[in-house]
Amino acid sequence: MESIKVAVLDDYQGLSKPQFVKLDPAKFDVTYLEDTLLPYSHKDTPQTVQHELVQRLSPYQVISTMRERTPFPADLVQQLPNLKLLLTTGLRNAALDLEAFRKRGIPVAGSSERSPKASKSLGFDSTTQHCVAMIMALARGIAQDDLSVKTGGWQRRTAMGLAGKTVGILGLGRLGVNVAKIMNVAFGMRVIAWSTNLTQEAADEKAQGAGLPVVNSDGEKTFKAVSRDEFFRTADVISLHLVLSDRSRGIVSASDLSKMKPSAMLVNTSRGPLIVEKDLLETVKAGHIRGVALDVFDLEPLPANSEWRSQDWGKNGTSEVLLTPHMGYVEGDHLSDWYQQQVENLERWTQGQELTDRLA
């Protein structure tokens, strides 16, 4: 019996190998392809698919992919004649055209969080931790001070204290609530929130759901829903927590950024295209705000010639810029568990059993 050809894509840290080596080598021929040929651009189906990518993936019956790295638009799915199963990390992957997989009868299965419920309820998820770390690092100037000391320098500028300041949460969903709660309880920040349809009643329900009082000791709403203008005009720290969609794409533009305080900071650990990139670049080049922290970008991996890849931010009147390479969910234990689930699903598939966390 000929072995099943399996391709594992975009596993930058090599966390999949300890899981996939558990498979019977007589039944499975596993290849690890760690370099991303077609960067994910967060856009709808690309008009063309690189010939090299089609050639690379055509031989495989099973593909393991990391969420939102290599895209699988309809025109790529249609050009993979041997593909019989696609496995992805997470339960939502905007890089996959699920309808195209359904039309070809190719099952798609995801991987779910299996961390303790207590950790989730306290907001200890990976993305929340990363977001809070970025807020703190930008406010305290950690990256800039580290570089200064390592290159023979010393103090460059003062840190920004957060106690008593206002954090603006754009998108008061699960992650937004987690960050808001931590910044409020741990650092004594006031919380304001805005999104297209957010009401004060909904904000109050979110506060209660997080175990917080609707009204704080100062007689103010714990989570205060405000207008778009007040949100950008009064927040000292703005953190984005929206799902990317046609409605939310480019929701933050030049008109919003121009209202921010010169001392304010903006943090995006959600999705790059939520902000109009050229408007954000112009803002930081002109030094109109204190700083920006980005974990996500319009095109990922970030191109080598991207304007963001500069060591001159924070100099000559520009804003401070802190960058991380989409690390919000890149936590070793979680990724290893997701790959373990992929292996379990692969074995179910070969045995004709029902897949868990099936997406298509």
Side-chain angles (χ1 to χ4, degrees), residues 179-196:
V179 173
K181 179 178 180 179
I182 291 172
M183 302 315 293
N184 174 254
V185 175
F187 300 105
M189 298 191 76
R190 295 177 59 250
V191 177
I192 61 173
W194 174 80
S195 58
T196 307

Side-chain angles (χ1 to χ4, degrees), residues 151-209:
T151 55
W154 198 238
Q155 295 183 9
R156 293 182 55 212
R157 64 183 301 179
T158 60
M160 174 182 171
L162 298 177
K165 296 285 200 313
T166 299
V167 59
I169 304 297
L170 205 169
L172 203 56
R174 179 178 64 86
L175 296 177
V177 168
N178 286 347
V179 173
K181 179 178 180 179
I182 291 172
M183 302 315 293
N184 174 254
V185 175
F187 300 105
M189 298 191 76
R190 295 177 59 250
V191 177
I192 61 173
W194 174 80
S195 58
T196 307
N197 298 315
L198 181 67
T199 64
Q200 186 58 59
E201 181 181 8
D204 291 345
E205 291 176 356
K206 296 288 186 179
Q208 286 183 313

